[in-house]
């Protein structure tokens, strides 16, 4: 069987403050660094066979990948397509804000100053299609963001709009997806 693994970066201060990070480059907190190192230890403990780590260029994901790589010895490289969605004018605003929730329901529309959900899905689906071509040859760990986790989950599983909007994973939680 061929797999791809996904994890979300470690905790940031904006995660703690319930703010939308999006494409804004936010550093990990002290706990975020510890979470990333602990995930590396968990990968070793579970003996996950991962050939390479691909990570988002945003510092919170890059640092998470670096810690995992240092603990496990798995090589890593930046993958620009894993960058979080640009939420435009909503970045740094409350994650549970009413205006943002309403805007999120309109997949086709661009967030003012940002990108649409469909643009995000196109770039992530293209990346997954490229990775799938190598399935069986290489197993990757993708280190990215919560918004990216939704798109990846929708690539492997059908989801309603409501399920898509509600989907998310915790910082440094790891998910495993099987290629079909």
């Amino acid at each position: 069987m061929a797999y791809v693994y996904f994890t979300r970066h470690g905790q940031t201060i904006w995660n703690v403050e319930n703010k939308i990070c999006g494409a804004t480059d936010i550093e990990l907190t002290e706990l975020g660094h510890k979470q990333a190192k602990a995930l590396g230890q968990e990968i070793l403990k579970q003996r996950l066979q991962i050939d390479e780590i691909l990570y988002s260029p945003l510092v919170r994901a890059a640092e998470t990948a670096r810690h995992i790589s240092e603990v496990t010895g798995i090589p890593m490289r930046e993958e620009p397509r894993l960058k979080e969605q640009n939420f435009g004018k909503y970045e740094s605003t409350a994650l549970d804000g009413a205006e943002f929730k309403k805007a999120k329901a309109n997949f086709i529309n661009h967030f003012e100053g940002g990108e649409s959900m469909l643009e995000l899905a196109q770039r992530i689906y293209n990346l997954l299609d490229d990775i799938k071509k190598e399935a069986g040859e290489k197993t990757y760990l993708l280190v990215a963001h919560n918004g990216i986790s939704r798109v990846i989950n929708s690539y492997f599983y059908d989801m309603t709009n409501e399920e898509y909007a509600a989907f998310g994973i915790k910082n440094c939680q790891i998910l495993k997806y099987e290629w079909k």
Side-chain angles (χ1 to χ4, degrees), residues 134-179:
E134 297 178 23
E137 295 175 32
K138 270 187 139 174
T139 300
Y140 293 99
L141 169 61
L142 309 179
V143 179
H145 311 277
N146 209 28
I148 304 299
S149 77
R150 288 183 194 94
V151 178
I152 289 174
N153 201 68
S154 75
Y155 182 91
F156 288 93
Y157 303 106
D158 287 340
M159 302 169 77
T160 65
N161 290 351
E162 292 77 21
E163 289 168 334
Y164 180 89
F167 186 85
I169 67 172
K170 296 177 180 153
N171 297 107
C172 288
Q173 178 183 349
I174 191 166
L175 299 177
K176 179 179 179 180
Y177 294 98
E178 183 179 335
W179 297 109

Side-chain angles (χ1 to χ4, degrees), residues 37-51:
K37 292 172 187 173
L39 178 55
Q41 290 297 328
E42 187 62 26
I43 288 169
L44 289 176
K45 181 180 169 188
Q46 291 186 28
R47 295 191 167 115
L48 299 182
Q49 296 301 310
I50 298 169
D51 298 300

Side-chain angles (χ1 to χ4, degrees), residues 25-91:
D25 218 2
I26 305 296
E27 295 274 346
L28 294 177
T29 62
E30 177 100 11
L31 176 60
H33 289 283
K34 289 178 182 174
Q35 290 170 325
K37 292 172 187 173
L39 178 55
Q41 290 297 328
E42 187 62 26
I43 288 169
L44 289 176
K45 181 180 169 188
Q46 291 186 28
R47 295 191 167 115
L48 299 182
Q49 296 301 310
I50 298 169
D51 298 300
E52 189 173 15
I53 299 167
L54 301 179
Y55 63 92
S56 159
L58 296 176
V59 69
R60 59 192 184 268
E63 284 293 292
T64 300
R66 181 180 62 80
H67 289 308
I68 295 167
S69 179
E70 287 174 350
V71 170
T72 63
I74 300 169
M76 57 182 259
R77 81 180 142 94
E78 185 178 292
E79 173 47 70
R81 292 177 286 182
L82 285 172
K83 186 175 183 178
E84 178 63 294
Q85 181 174 4
N86 185 329
F87 292 107
K89 72 176 188 174
Y90 297 106
E91 298 207 5

